Amino acid sequence: MKTLKFTTIAVAALIAAGTANAQKTFAQVTAEAKADLIAAEAELSALRETIATEKIPLSNELTRLESEVLEARKERDEKKSVRDNRDLSLSDLRNKVKLHSDQNVYLRNTMAAYVKQFSTRIHAAELQEYKEIADEAEHLAENESASDSEKFTAQLEVVNASLERIRNIMGGTTIEGDALGKNGVQVSGTFVLAGPFAYFGDGGENVGFAEGDHTNIGYPLVVNRGVPEDVIATIANLTANKSGMLPVDPTEGDALKLALVDETLIEHIKKGGVVMIPLLGMFFVAILLSVLKFFEIKSVKSPKAGTLQRILDSLNSGNKQQALEAANSVDGPFGDLLVAGVEHADQDKELLEEVLYERLLAAQPKLERFIAFIALTAAASPLLGLLGTVTGMIDTFKAITVFGTGDPATLSTGISVALITTEYGLIVAIPCLLCQALLTRIAKGKLGEMEQASVAFVNGLNSQR
């Protein structure tokens, strides 16, 4: 590369010299060329020395710059790593914020639902103590302008009150408040709460278990109907002294509920209303007639064995008076039948059969008397019961029109009262139907025996002639 450069310079010099002074001699040109060559070599040597002199600093500078580049790259990689880590941390933080926000929404909704159910889960006696904070929390939960902090604070107050309530009733606690006592009168007294049991006493006659299922009327109901006197005395002492023995109901109030709906037969019948009067009247008359009719039919005695044959023998032997005496010895319809047969024994067969059939028809109404009334009672009593049910349901729907359907217990009571007449309609109809069937069967049996006796009389009388 250097030789090429030198040759180029020499050629350029020769061309320049030749151009400047074409008249110069070759020797002069050669001398000048050598001089120029020497100068060029000197310049080249100086340039090489300069390059050699400047190469080390440049190399050092290059090394330094390369080191700086490496440091800059390292710093860039570190900053990039830091940036990436910051991006990841920011994403994590955003996810955590979203997670906590979702948890807050879930907790807020859960606590709002708990607050709404709190009033329905505690005893009615405790509503007077916790109603204010429960209503406040519920109001804030529905208030869109209220902050989350206010809502959480009110809800936490309800939760803390609930925990405090649990601690209290586990060991037993007392609350001063109002309840509905005798005849539904509001009275003030002391509640004693222990676990699921609640007792009330006002120091007077309103002492008993505090029924907490009547939250729709605002105050618990004092229940002492069907409770033994010694239990009432224990509750009175407990509420007065706020300490003592606890009467425990293992059924948790179910026994008291049954005692409240328990009623005597007379009370049950009175609930049926005015329809029960004709219904029970017909029932008692039908049962009385059934008993009397049963004994009446059973009292119809069939002729003793051999009596009919003795009568036939007497007639066939021509001793009509003896046959008539034997026939008169038989009582009831059978006696009338045989007497008529003896009196007309000398008549034609057709006339005798007509006479006997007449006595048979005359005996039938007496045997079947009053059975039709029993059958009528069996058929009419379900209709009377249905009539009472319909009128009772009409009264129930009238009550719904006036008072609404807010109290299911009242509606169920009205419907059950309306169904009492249907119940007694079936109670009356079933035994009356059985009595009618039994008496009809017995009466037909007696009529069949009479018919058999009349046929035997006719056949026996003719066979001997």
Side-chain angles (χ1 to χ4, degrees), residues 9 86 270 362 369 405 415 444:
I9 294 172
R86 286 180 178 177
K270 286 182 178 179
R369 183 176 52 182
T405 59
I415 295 172
K444 287 183 177 180

Side-chain angles (χ1 to χ4, degrees), residues 189-361:
T190 302
F191 292 95
V192 176
L193 302 175
F197 306 107
Y199 316 91
F200 178 84
D202 64 345
E205 59 181 359
N206 297 302
V207 178
F209 292 92
E211 176 58 58
D213 291 339
H214 298 267
T215 54
N216 57 317
I217 55 180
Y219 297 99
L221 181 65
V222 180
V223 179
N224 50 24
R225 179 180 177 181
V227 181
E229 292 296 332
D230 55 343
V231 176
I232 295 295
T234 303
I235 296 176
N237 178 70
L238 175 65
T239 55
N241 300 325
K242 299 182 180 180
S243 63
M245 299 292 293
L246 289 174
V248 176
D249 180 9
T251 64
E252 295 188 8
D254 291 341
L256 293 176
K257 294 176 182 178
L258 291 176
L260 287 175
V261 299
D262 191 18
E263 57 190 8
T264 63
L265 179 61
I266 301 300
E267 292 174 342
H268 189 64
I269 292 175
K270 286 182 178 179
K271 287 184 177 180
V274 69
V275 179
M276 297 294 290
I277 298 176
L279 189 61
L280 294 179
M282 293 177 63
F283 175 69
F284 289 131
V285 172
I287 293 298
L288 179 60
L289 290 177
S290 298
V291 174
L292 296 177
K293 196 63 185 178
F294 177 78
F295 287 107
E296 180 185 0
I297 298 176
K298 283 296 184 182
S299 65
V300 177
K301 302 295 183 182
S302 301
K304 295 181 180 179
T307 301
L308 179 60
Q309 188 62 43
R310 286 197 304 271
I311 294 173
L312 291 173
D313 293 340
S314 298
L315 289 174
N316 292 327
S317 63
N319 193 350
K320 187 175 182 179
Q321 184 61 34
Q322 185 179 358
L324 187 59
E325 292 177 356
N328 285 325
S329 66
V330 180
D331 297 328
F334 280 95
D336 296 338
L337 179 69
L338 294 176
V339 168
V342 172
E343 291 178 347
H344 296 83
D346 54 350
Q347 303 291 332
D348 293 336
K349 178 181 178 182
E350 289 78 9
L351 180 59
L352 179 60
E353 289 178 350
E354 290 294 333
V355 170
L356 294 178
Y357 184 66
E358 180 183 355
R359 293 294 183 273
L360 186 65
L361 291 179

